[in-house]
Amino acid sequence: MTRLPLILAVTLAGLGAVAGAQQVLGPSGYLKPDAFDVLAILPPAPKSTDPRGLADRAIFKATRALQGSPRWAMATSDVKSAPVDLFRDFSCAMGIAMTPENAPRTAALLRRAMFDTGRQTGIAKTFYKRQRPFLIDRGPICQPAAEVADSYDYPSGHTTAGWTMATVLAQIAPDRATALLARGRAYGESRIVCGVHNASAVDAGRLSASSTLTAMQGDPAFTTDLAAARQEIAALRQPGGAAKPDTAQCTREAALVAQPLY
């Protein structure tokens, strides 16, 4: 098993831990296995010598200059993909300190949605088998190579998870959609900063997540779980609900989210 499925399994298990019986039954999504075909949606993975591939290589080389910067530190933090990390990473954008414990219905919804979006991205990764950028060109990366060298570049699994998180949370709290989706975009771009994914793989991760989420919108179970999560987050946002994230930290994060990379 490659690293991505292992990371996805840990993330899903953690999100499902708050879901009681769902954890006993094991992870499952909303879509039937043959209900959606992401390979018909995504453009083919670039070759290293075609125009998209050359752009990827140029972006990888240019963004190596970010090593040691505050944006590099954010990308390094974004490597962590356990449920507590994902909820923390999107707390500033939501305006409340979210955890899997104080938002169990939201965690259960995200667990199932990420099962579907992660599965589709995994199918594309296995189909295209594209090498990661640091295996094509030399340059520093922000996490140990051994953690990612035996899995593939296209699409980005971290981006898929982050964009799933951002999109679902934006459906839960539409008035926070701008901040949530901007953070989701930056979460994926952290993989470019980190040097472990190409820019095209990050774009493909967002497309994989968005298209898969669109396919599940009519599922009755998804609709029911989304409504429950909306009530839960609305209650947490009321006075006396969840704590507020640190204002200074959120200001720094917002500046990094807005920072252009290339």
Side-chain angles (χ1 to χ4, degrees), residues 162-173:
W163 197 246
T164 300
M165 186 94 176
T167 302
V168 171
L169 290 178
Q171 288 182 273
I172 290 170

Side-chain angles (χ1 to χ4, degrees), residues 27-243:
S28 62
Y30 294 102
L31 297 175
K32 295 179 180 179
D34 59 351
F36 186 70
D37 180 12
V38 76
L39 294 177
I41 309 300
L42 294 177
K47 305 292 185 182
S48 62
T49 55
D50 70 21
R52 291 165 64 217
L54 291 173
D56 278 341
R57 295 179 70 182
I59 290 169
F60 171 78
K61 293 174 183 177
T63 51
R64 297 314 85 214
L66 291 169
Q67 184 182 23
S69 69
R71 188 62 182 86
W72 183 274
M74 180 180 180
T76 303
S77 177
D78 284 349
V79 170
K80 301 173 184 177
S81 59
V84 65
D85 300 310
L86 284 167
F87 274 90
R88 180 202 63 222
D89 289 339
F90 284 86
S91 286
C92 284
M94 182 62 82
I96 56 172
M98 297 182 296
T99 69
E101 290 74 28
N102 71 8
R105 292 180 181 273
T106 305
L109 168 68
L110 287 163
R111 182 195 68 85
R112 294 191 68 182
M114 287 184 186
F115 181 90
D116 287 323
T117 59
R119 179 179 179 275
Q120 291 296 326
T121 284
I123 289 170
K125 276 182 177 286
T126 301
F127 182 82
Y128 287 112
K129 293 183 171 65
R130 189 190 186 198
Q131 283 188 310
R132 291 178 183 268
F134 66 89
L135 297 175
I136 298 172
D137 294 299
R138 290 176 177 264
I141 61 176
C142 81
Q143 70 182 107
E147 293 182 359
V148 290
D150 61 351
S151 62
Y152 300 114
D153 172 56
Y154 186 93
S156 163
H158 266 76
T159 299
T160 298
W163 197 246
T164 300
M165 186 94 176
T167 302
V168 171
L169 290 178
Q171 288 182 273
I172 290 170
D175 62 306
R176 302 294 299 181
T178 297
L180 288 163
L181 292 170
R183 183 64 178 98
R185 184 258 306 153
Y187 188 89
E189 288 178 344
S190 284
R191 304 308 281 165
I192 301 170
V193 175
C194 202
V196 295
H197 275 299
N198 284 298
S200 63
V202 169
D203 290 341
R206 286 194 292 263
L207 179 56
S208 178
S210 292
S211 56
T212 306
L213 287 168
T214 299
M216 73 178 67
Q217 293 300 304
D219 183 89
F222 176 81
T223 302
T224 298
D225 290 349
L226 180 63
R230 281 175 175 152
Q231 291 182 343
E232 179 177 73
I233 295 298
L236 290 176
R237 295 178 67 191
Q238 293 299 313

